[in-house]
């Protein structure tokens, strides 16, 4: 019988959630479709223009900012 080990990709995902977006290896790539979709919604709610040319890192930072502004993503 073999010992069961944790899925290493799960650990990478968890650690990426804690990394500063400026430190992401792929942060300078175009934002993902999921980021764009959510960011577009947040921009509409916050009354700001959506910029479809953001990088993954910049989109993540803007999502954080707009979540705070709109109250989305906060525990109530």
């Amino acid at each position: 019988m073999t010992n069961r080990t944790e899925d290493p990709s799960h650990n990478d995902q968890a650690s990426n959630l804690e990394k500063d977006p400026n430190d992401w290896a792929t942060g300078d790539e175009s934002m993902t479709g999921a980021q764009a979709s959510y960011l577009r919604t947040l921009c509409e709610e916050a009354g700001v223009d959506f910029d479809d040319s953001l990088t993954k890192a910049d989109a993540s930072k803007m999502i954080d900012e707009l979540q705070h502004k709109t109250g989305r993503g906060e525990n109530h």
Side-chain angles (χ1 to χ4, degrees), residues 4-19:
R4 184 177 173 171
T5 60
E6 291 186 40
D7 178 1
S9 66
H10 175 71
N11 291 337
D12 290 343
Q13 289 173 334
S15 66
N16 284 343
L17 294 175
E18 297 171 9
K19 282 185 183 177

Side-chain angles (χ1 to χ4, degrees), residues 1 5 8 11-12 20 22 29 42-45 49 55 60-62 69 74:
M1 184 179 284
T5 60
N11 291 337
D12 290 343
D20 183 326
N22 293 322
E29 294 178 1
L42 288 171
C43 286
E44 289 174 6
E45 289 183 9
D49 292 332
T55 64
S60 178
K61 289 184 269 187
M62 189 168 187
K69 183 176 181 177
E74 295 181 5

Side-chain angles (χ1 to χ4, degrees), residues 14-76:
S15 66
N16 284 343
L17 294 175
E18 297 171 9
K19 282 185 183 177
D20 183 326
N22 293 322
D23 296 332
W24 291 354
T26 61
D28 60 344
E29 294 178 1
S30 297
M31 73 177 125
T32 66
Q35 282 179 308
S37 176
Y38 186 47
L39 188 53
R40 188 181 316 273
T41 299
L42 288 171
C43 286
E44 289 174 6
E45 289 183 9
V48 299
D49 292 332
F50 172 74
D51 180 358
D52 65 353
S53 67
L54 294 177
T55 64
K56 286 180 184 180
D58 289 337
S60 178
K61 289 184 269 187
M62 189 168 187
I63 287 169
D64 288 344
E65 176 186 321
L66 293 178
Q67 281 181 324
H68 178 72
K69 183 176 181 177
T70 63
R72 278 186 172 249
E74 295 181 5
N75 294 332
H76 296 281

